[in-house]
C-alpha cells in the first residue's frame, strides 16, 4: 500500500508508535488497521482508519476509531477467505495475570476466535463471529425467556466451560441490568455483563472473576446507546475457559481474559439493580472441542469433564 506514511502522520499522535498494519479492500473503499503502543506502556490497543483508494493510494476519510474495545486484544491479522469476497480477522489475546502464574501454568496467550469484517454503508467497520463457528455448537443447554426485577436474580441454567450464547436484553432504564456468569457454587466468583443506562454503555466487569488475586480485575466498556432508551439489545457471547468475547448486534466487540478457578458448576443469571424490570431471551450451546487441545489454567490441574 502506498500513502500509508501520510495517513499515519495525520492521524497517529507523535507520542504513539504503530505496528502490525493490516489492510482490507471493500470495492473502492479501504480499511487500515494499526496496533498502537506508547513509550510508557508498550503495546496498547488497535485502531481502524476507513477511507477510499484514489490513484493507487489510500486516503483516510475520517479520524481513527477503536477497532476493539477489550483490554486484551492486539496485533490482529486479516485474511481473505479462499474463493470468497469475505475478510476474516484474528487477534492476539495476551495474559491478564501475573507473569509468575503464567510461568507456573506453562503457557501464555491465545488467539481470539475468527471474526468476519465488513464495511457498512456509512463507513462503519462491523465485526461478527465467523459463520464457521456455528459448526462448533453442540447441545443447546438452555433457552429461557422472562424478566427479572430488583427483588432477585433469575437463574437461567448451567453451561460448560466453553459455550456460545445469544441474548436479547431489554434494559431496565432505572439501573444496570444484564447477565452474570457464576463460576463458584457459593457465588463468590463471577463475571458480569451489564447495560448501563446512565453512560449508554455495555460493561464487562471481571473484578470478581477469579479467586486468585494474581488475575487482573477491572471493568471495561463499549458504547451501547440503546441502553439509555430501553430498546432491546442483541448480544452474542462466546466463552472459552479463560477468554470471553462479547459481540453487540451493531458490530462492536469486547473480548477479555479472565481466570475462574472455583469448582463450579458454571451457571448463568439475569439481574437488575433498577426499580423496574428487565426482559430477556437467552439461549446457550455448549461447544464441541473439535480436536482442539485444551490446556489447564494451572500446571497439574486436571482437565474439566
Amino acid at each position: 500500500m502506498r500513502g500509508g506514511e501520510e495517513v499515519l502522520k495525520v492521524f497517529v499522535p507523535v507520542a504513539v508508535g504503530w505496528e502490525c498494519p493490516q489492510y482490507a479492500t471493500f470495492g473502492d473503499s479501504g480499511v487500515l488497521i494499526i496496533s498502537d503502543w506508547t513509550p510508557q506502556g508498550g503495546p496498547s490497543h488497535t485502531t481502524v482508519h476507513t477511507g477510499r483508494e484514489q490513484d493507487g493510494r489510500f486516503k483516510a476519510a475520517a479520524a481513527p476509531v477503536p477497532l476493539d474495545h477489550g483490554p486484551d486484544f492486539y496485533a490482529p491479522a486479516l485474511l481473505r477467505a479462499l474463493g470468497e469476497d469475505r475478510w476474516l480477522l484474528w487477534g492476539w489475546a495476551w495474559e491478564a495475570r501475573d507473569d509468575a502464574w503464567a510461568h507456573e501454568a506453562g503457557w501464555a496467550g491465545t488467539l481470539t476466535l475468527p471474526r468476519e469484517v465488513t464495511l457498512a454503508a456509512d463507513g462503519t467497520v462491523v465485526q461478527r463471529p465467523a459463520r464457521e463457528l456455528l459448526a462448533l455448537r453442540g447441545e443447546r443447554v438452555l433457552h429461557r425467556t422472562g424478566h427479572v426485577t430488583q427483588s432477585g436474580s433469575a437463574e437461567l441454567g448451567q453451561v460448560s466451560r466453553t459455550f456460545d450464547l445469544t441474548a436479547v436484553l431489554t434494559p431496565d432504564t432505572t439501573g444496570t441490568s444484564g447477565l452474570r456468569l457464576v463460576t463458584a457454587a457459593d457465588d463468590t466468583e463471577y463475571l458480569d455483563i451489564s447495560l448501563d443506562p446512565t453512560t449508554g454503555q455495555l460493561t464487562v466487569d471481571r473484578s470478581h472473576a477469579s479467586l486468585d488475586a494474581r488475575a487482573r480485575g477491572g471493568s471495561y466498556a463499549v458504547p451501547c446507546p440503546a441502553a439509555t432508551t430501553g430498546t432491546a439489545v442483541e448480544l452474542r457471547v462466546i466463552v472459552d475457559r479463560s477468554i470471553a468475547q462479547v459481540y453487540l448486534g451493531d458490530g462492536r466487540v469486547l473480548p477479555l481474559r479472565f481466570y475462574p478457578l472455583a469448582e463450579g458448576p458454571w451457571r448463568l443469571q439475569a439481574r437488575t439493580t433498577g426499580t423496574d424490570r428487565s426482559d430477556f431471551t437467552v439461549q446457550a450451546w455448549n461447544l464441541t472441542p473439535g480436536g482442539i487441545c485444551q490446556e489447564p489454567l494451572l500446571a497439574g490441574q486436571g482437565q474439566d469433564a
Side-chain angles (χ1 to χ4, degrees), residues 142-248:
L142 66 87
H143 183 192
R144 293 287 304 277
T145 298
H147 70 272
V148 64
T149 65
Q150 189 183 48
S151 61
S153 59
E155 292 287 342
L156 305 182
Q158 295 184 14
V159 290
S160 73
R161 284 154 173 75
T162 54
F163 66 90
D164 186 350
L165 175 148
T166 62
V168 179
L169 306 177
T170 303
D172 182 347
T173 57
T174 65
T176 60
S177 54
L179 301 174
R180 173 172 288 183
L181 173 62
V182 183
T183 55
D186 61 359
D187 293 356
T188 57
E189 189 180 72
Y190 53 86
L191 181 75
D192 276 333
I193 301 173
S194 304
L195 298 168
D196 189 336
T198 303
T199 61
Q201 295 177 321
L202 177 141
T203 63
V204 183
D205 188 350
R206 65 183 180 191
S207 300
H208 303 279
S210 179
L211 297 176
D212 195 314
R214 294 176 296 176
R216 295 176 193 160
S219 181
Y220 302 89
V222 56
C224 183
T228 65
T229 63
T231 304
V233 175
E234 294 185 9
L235 297 178
R236 186 169 173 190
V237 183
I238 305 177
V239 173
D240 186 1
R241 295 172 180 259
S242 69
I243 184 170
Q245 300 174 69
V246 182
Y247 291 81
L248 275 72

Side-chain angles (χ1 to χ4, degrees), residues 17-264:
W18 61 275
E19 58 184 343
C20 307
Q22 299 287 300
Y23 186 66
T25 57
F26 300 89
D28 62 351
S29 297
V31 169
L32 174 64
I33 297 171
I34 295 172
S35 297
D36 298 334
W37 58 271
T38 65
Q40 298 79 17
S44 176
H45 59 280
T46 56
T47 53
V48 59
H49 311 250
T50 56
R52 293 187 175 274
E53 290 189 13
Q54 299 177 0
D55 301 324
R57 294 175 178 266
F58 172 74
K59 301 290 186 180
V65 296
L67 172 73
D68 185 280
H69 296 268
D72 307 315
F73 180 89
Y74 197 71
L78 282 165
L79 174 69
R80 191 191 292 271
L82 184 63
E84 302 180 53
D85 188 18
R86 183 166 62 110
W87 288 96
L88 300 174
L89 179 146
W90 289 261
W92 177 247
W94 46 49
E95 290 302 308
R97 56 182 174 176
D98 285 357
D99 290 343
W101 188 1
H103 284 293
E104 180 184 345
W107 63 275
T110 185
L111 291 176
T112 64
L113 292 170
R115 309 173 184 177
E116 293 186 12
V117 179
T118 57
L119 197 61
D122 64 356
T124 302
V125 173
V126 175
Q127 301 175 83
R128 306 192 191 284
R131 63 196 69 173
E132 288 84 356
L133 297 177
L134 294 174
L136 296 179
R137 286 180 176 177
E139 176 188 7
R140 187 175 71 175
V141 291
L142 66 87
H143 183 192
R144 293 287 304 277
T145 298
H147 70 272
V148 64
T149 65
Q150 189 183 48
S151 61
S153 59
E155 292 287 342
L156 305 182
Q158 295 184 14
V159 290
S160 73
R161 284 154 173 75
T162 54
F163 66 90
D164 186 350
L165 175 148
T166 62
V168 179
L169 306 177
T170 303
D172 182 347
T173 57
T174 65
T176 60
S177 54
L179 301 174
R180 173 172 288 183
L181 173 62
V182 183
T183 55
D186 61 359
D187 293 356
T188 57
E189 189 180 72
Y190 53 86
L191 181 75
D192 276 333
I193 301 173
S194 304
L195 298 168
D196 189 336
T198 303
T199 61
Q201 295 177 321
L202 177 141
T203 63
V204 183
D205 188 350
R206 65 183 180 191
S207 300
H208 303 279
S210 179
L211 297 176
D212 195 314
R214 294 176 296 176
R216 295 176 193 160
S219 181
Y220 302 89
V222 56
C224 183
T228 65
T229 63
T231 304
V233 175
E234 294 185 9
L235 297 178
R236 186 169 173 190
V237 183
I238 305 177
V239 173
D240 186 1
R241 295 172 180 259
S242 69
I243 184 170
Q245 300 174 69
V246 182
Y247 291 81
L248 275 72
D250 63 5
R252 295 184 174 102
V253 194
L254 194 162
L256 86 175
R257 305 293 303 276
F258 71 119
Y259 302 92
L261 292 182
E263 294 297 326

